[in-house]
Amino acid sequence: MPATRLEPTPDTLADLLERIQGSDPTALRSLYELTSSTLFGLALRILVKREWAEDVLQDSYVKIWRHAGDYQASLSAPMTWLAAIVRNRALDHLRRVRANGEGEWDETPGEILPSNELAPPSALENSQEARQLAHCLGRLEPEQRQAIVLAYLRDQSHSEICTSLRVPLGTAKSWTRGGLEKLKSCLGAP
């Protein structure tokens, strides 16, 4: 009888987290197989550097192994909880890198948001909405695109954006606001 292939449904993921809480290594392996490409894509979008994303993903699964018992289905869907762990780990990594002054990355828009580089495949990234957003981001001025990416993919405040881009606060706010207006117009939002 062939093995049943698991699907990454909320019920399946919640069951795997419950089994991981009981120290079941096969459940962790299954969870990794079902979620790693999506979570790696998230880490890569935040960190840009592949090796950093790989490290964060590994750290995230160690945290999931140790803290699976903290998951509460009444508060969030399993994938939301997993993504929050990866996102927080990625942002912590960026803060550490900045604090240590190591691994500086080029502040040019192309480095932050590669124009033609494909991220790891996932249903979300291949969706029509994601393609439309990528198209609209590509139509922005480089400074506006960079400010938007720092604000929404790197979760930076206006003051952090002005520090990253080495521009006055008003300029960072203007680029972000102007970019958002152009995105709304391109995406057809009211």
Side-chain angles (χ1 to χ4, degrees):
M1 178 177 231
T4 306
R5 175 146 164 59
L6 294 176
E7 295 296 323
T9 64
D11 289 339
T12 300
L13 298 179
D15 178 58
L16 290 172
L17 286 170
E18 188 175 319
R19 289 175 43 206
I20 291 168
Q21 181 182 359
S23 300
D24 181 351
T26 58
L28 181 64
R29 186 176 305 114
S30 296
L31 183 75
Y32 180 86
E33 290 170 0
L34 292 173
T35 61
S36 62
S37 65
T38 301
L39 296 177
F40 178 74
L42 172 63
L44 188 60
R45 288 217 179 269
I46 294 170
L47 297 167
V48 177
K49 294 191 176 189
R50 186 174 192 83
E51 61 273 10
W52 290 357
E54 290 169 352
D55 289 345
V56 162
L57 189 67
Q58 180 179 352
D59 289 345
S60 296
Y61 279 100
V62 169
K63 182 168 181 147
I64 291 163
W65 174 257
R66 291 181 180 156
H67 298 281
D70 294 345
Y71 171 69
Q72 295 178 24
S74 62
L75 297 180
S76 68
M79 196 61 173
T80 303
W81 186 75
L82 296 169
I85 290 172
V86 171
R87 179 183 174 278
N88 291 338
R89 286 286 200 210
L91 293 174
D92 287 346
H93 183 85
L94 283 178
R95 288 183 195 104
R96 262 193 320 277
V97 166
R98 281 199 191 114
N100 295 336
E102 62 188 51
E104 288 297 317
W105 45 275
D106 186 6
E107 296 288 351
T108 60
E111 181 69 21
I112 293 174
L113 184 67
S115 57
N116 294 323
E117 185 177 310
L118 294 176
S122 76
L124 177 64
E125 292 171 349
N126 292 328
S127 69
Q128 179 63 33
E129 294 86 4
R131 286 191 297 273
Q132 179 67 20
L133 179 59
H135 167 75
C136 291
L137 279 169
R139 295 179 64 189
L140 296 178
E141 296 295 322
E143 299 84 6
Q144 291 173 331
R145 180 174 54 248
Q146 192 171 24
I148 297 286
V149 168
L150 289 172
Y152 293 96
L153 295 182
R154 296 252 174 122
D155 201 31
Q156 289 189 3
S157 68
H158 283 115
S159 60
E160 290 171 324
I161 293 170
C162 76
T163 302
S164 294
L165 300 179
R166 298 177 190 98
V167 296
L169 180 60
T171 302
K173 287 181 177 182
S174 174
W175 287 348
T176 305
R177 187 172 38 254
L180 285 174
E181 289 299 318
K182 286 182 180 178
L183 279 177
K184 282 183 193 177
S185 174
C186 181
L187 293 170

